[in-house]
Amino acid sequence: MIKKCLLVAFTLLFTTTILFAQKPTVWRGENNGIYPDTGLLKEWPANGPEILWTFEGLGEGHSSPVFANNQIYLSTLQGEDGFIVVFNQDGTVAWKVNYGKDFKDSYPGSRSSVVVAGDLMYMYTGYGELICMDAKNGDKKWTKNAFEDFDGENIRWGVTETVVVDGDVVYVTPGGAKNNVVALNRFTGELIWSSPGKGETSAYCTPLLLELPARKLLVTHTADHIIALDAKTGEMLWDFPHTNRWKVHPNTPLFYNGDLFCFSGYGKGGVKLDLSDDGSSVSKQWEKVELDSRMGGMVVLDGYMYGSGDKAREWRCVNWETGEEAYVSDAIGKGVTIFADGMLYCYSDRGELALVEATPEAFKVVSQTKVELGTAQHWAHPVINKGRLFVRHGDVLIAYKIQ
């Protein structure tokens, strides 16, 4: 009896360990820009947080690092070739692998972040190539081309979607008339289901995967609509019109208290959608054109949403339920926002890096520094991991100590 109990306990432990090891990385973290780290600095030194290490000469790109297998994975463009560079925790390079051509046209550089799930990793290039590789050495397992295999077409500034992995499935948006959104077996690349969606091109968006009591729901933007699919079957459950001048919608929708907020730049702004309990329908609650972040994301905390705009360049705090503004500030330039341990981390397109209290009372900048290293645009989303703030600026990756 004792041996049997020990065997059961060992089996459960082994299974749990395997499942944990297979947990995939997620764009902007598991809670869409809200990181779980605690014990972080509430104020930085006068010259900014201590730099633990930097890596220069990385190449071109706008992607963010991800953390798995006790290593750091980052995509980049060197010449015309895309590489995944794998770092040790101290910033030394463990290895790197060439995954093929990546976007060399307007605003050149890698767009999508790597997704790592256990011993496999996935890269989706600006030219629509989805590559599955061994996460330990980069050996290719399979590839699919979203345009050639699934009748999609590229978009003006190249694919930027970071694919979503869940269990045995990888979801991707080719943007074709027939195969608009597809689910593939992540081990083989075989098609599980295909949805025609609205038949529109993709729109730079990394989808949101929601686990509701009734179903798993995949929510994303295509060129002129927000769409929601049953993640198991591919059935399109609803759509909502949402477009802008350039059909650019890179921000992953926010989910909070059972509702959705979907938003994009160029003066379009955002819409709050009341999502039915089973995910099968939505209705509009309110719209706000000033919440028009082009690519910086937002976070929602304790009933308030925080972020900056595009045409409405200021930083805003808005009541989630009503859309009413708690404050407006132009203290720093527009940009990206993430959150951890009571503080907003705001990274502007001018290279300003600010630590801001996450309170609806005011946009209170506690500490501020400037990202001087690196090249090109300040567009990559920062990431917090194990008490460190990682900022990628073009050809440089910086690890700051914030604990």
Side-chain angles (χ1 to χ4, degrees):
M1 182 65 181
I2 293 176
K3 287 183 179 180
K4 184 176 180 180
C5 290
L6 288 173
L7 179 61
V8 170
F10 176 78
T11 302
L12 288 172
L13 178 62
F14 179 76
T15 303
T16 302
T17 302
I18 292 297
L19 289 173
F20 180 78
Q22 296 292 322
K23 194 172 186 179
T25 60
V26 181
W27 162 241
R28 281 178 59 85
E30 294 179 20
N31 199 11
N32 205 347
I34 298 175
Y35 291 89
D37 297 54
T38 57
L40 305 183
L41 296 174
K42 295 299 186 288
E43 185 176 354
W44 296 338
N47 294 328
E50 177 188 348
I51 295 178
L52 294 172
W53 55 261
T54 63
F55 186 88
E56 301 184 42
L58 186 60
E60 299 176 290
H62 312 289
S63 59
S64 300
V66 301
F67 302 82
N69 305 325
N70 199 35
Q71 292 184 309
I72 305 166
Y73 296 76
L74 182 63
S75 63
T76 194
L77 179 71
Q78 298 177 359
E80 294 187 354
D81 291 330
F83 288 86
I84 294 172
V85 183
V86 182
F87 296 93
N88 299 311
Q89 295 293 333
D90 62 1
T92 58
V93 175
W95 53 276
K96 74 176 187 177
V97 60
N98 184 327
Y99 59 79
K101 303 297 181 185
D102 213 331
F103 206 75
K104 187 60 180 173
D105 305 319
S106 183
Y107 303 106
S110 59
R111 275 105 164 92
S112 306
S113 294
V114 187
V115 176
V116 182
D119 57 0
L120 294 176
M121 62 182 181
Y122 304 84
M123 184 64 202
Y124 192 31
T125 78
Y127 296 125
E129 194 80 19
L130 176 59
I131 309 115
C132 172
M133 291 164 276
D134 191 309
K136 296 185 179 68
N137 55 31
D139 288 349
K140 289 186 179 180
K141 300 295 185 180
W142 56 262
T143 66
K144 291 288 182 181
N145 189 289
F147 310 145
E148 296 174 5
D149 296 326
F150 300 114
D151 77 347
E153 61 179 280
N154 211 347
I155 41 185
R156 184 184 182 97
W157 290 291
V159 168
T160 67
E161 175 183 0
T162 296
V163 297
V164 171
V165 172
D166 182 52
D168 295 346
V169 184
V170 55
Y171 301 96
V172 66
T173 314
K178 179 182 178 182
N179 304 301
N180 197 254
V181 183
V182 299
L184 307 177
N185 183 298
R186 77 175 185 92
F187 300 105
T188 66
E190 294 178 359
L191 183 67
I192 298 172
W193 57 251
S194 172
S195 169
K198 297 291 289 183
E200 302 168 350
T201 57
S202 65
Y204 309 89
C205 185
T206 294
L208 172 69
L209 183 67
L210 293 176
E211 187 158 5
L212 303 174
R215 58 168 55 88
K216 284 186 179 179
L217 193 67
L218 192 74
V219 184
T220 193
H221 289 265
T222 52
D224 297 312
H225 290 83
I226 306 155
I227 62 173
L229 309 176
D230 186 303
K232 184 177 180 180
T233 66
E235 176 190 1
M236 193 169 82
L237 301 171
W238 54 263
D239 65 86
F240 191 90
H242 184 97
T243 192
N244 60 38
R245 178 184 177 188
W246 298 108
K247 303 181 189 296
V248 173
H249 312 287
N251 297 304
T252 298
L254 299 175
F255 178 72
Y256 181 78
N257 276 2
D259 293 331
L260 292 165
F261 185 75
C262 305
F263 56 109
S264 61
Y266 302 103
K268 175 61 181 179
V271 59
K272 169 91 176 299
L273 298 174
D274 180 13
L275 181 67
S276 65
D277 291 342
D278 66 356
S280 64
S281 64
V282 289
S283 58
K284 184 175 75 172
Q285 290 189 344
W286 52 264
E287 289 181 291
K288 194 169 184 67
V289 296
E290 293 85 358
L291 294 178
D292 70 329
S293 174
R294 189 188 300 186
M295 64 183 74
M298 295 185 186
V299 294
V300 57
L301 308 155
D302 300 325
Y304 289 90
M305 189 160 40
Y306 300 86
S308 75
D310 178 25
K311 290 186 72 173
R313 299 177 61 90
E314 302 88 356
W315 290 80
R316 281 177 166 78
C317 174
V318 171
N319 186 296
W320 176 262
E321 295 299 330
T322 66
E324 295 177 357
E325 292 177 353
Y327 66 65
V328 179
S329 174
D330 61 359
I332 64 172
K334 65 180 181 180
V336 180
T337 184
I338 60 173
F339 167 89
D341 198 20
M343 308 297 285
L344 301 172
Y345 293 76
C346 303
Y347 179 38
S348 84
D349 62 2
R350 301 193 298 226
E352 299 152 311
L353 187 61
L355 186 67
V356 179
E357 290 185 1
T359 170
E361 295 177 5
F363 188 78
K364 183 179 179 182
V365 177
V366 177
S367 300
Q368 185 173 332
T369 189
K370 188 76 178 288
V371 177
E372 303 283 3
L373 299 173
T375 56
Q377 298 80 20
H378 296 272
W379 288 346
H381 287 219
V383 179
I384 295 172
N385 176 265
K386 296 182 178 178
R388 301 163 298 172
L389 175 67
F390 289 83
V391 175
R392 192 258 180 91
H393 178 212
D395 74 346
V396 170
L397 180 63
I398 308 167
Y400 294 96
K401 182 180 179 181
I402 58 169
Q403 191 173 53

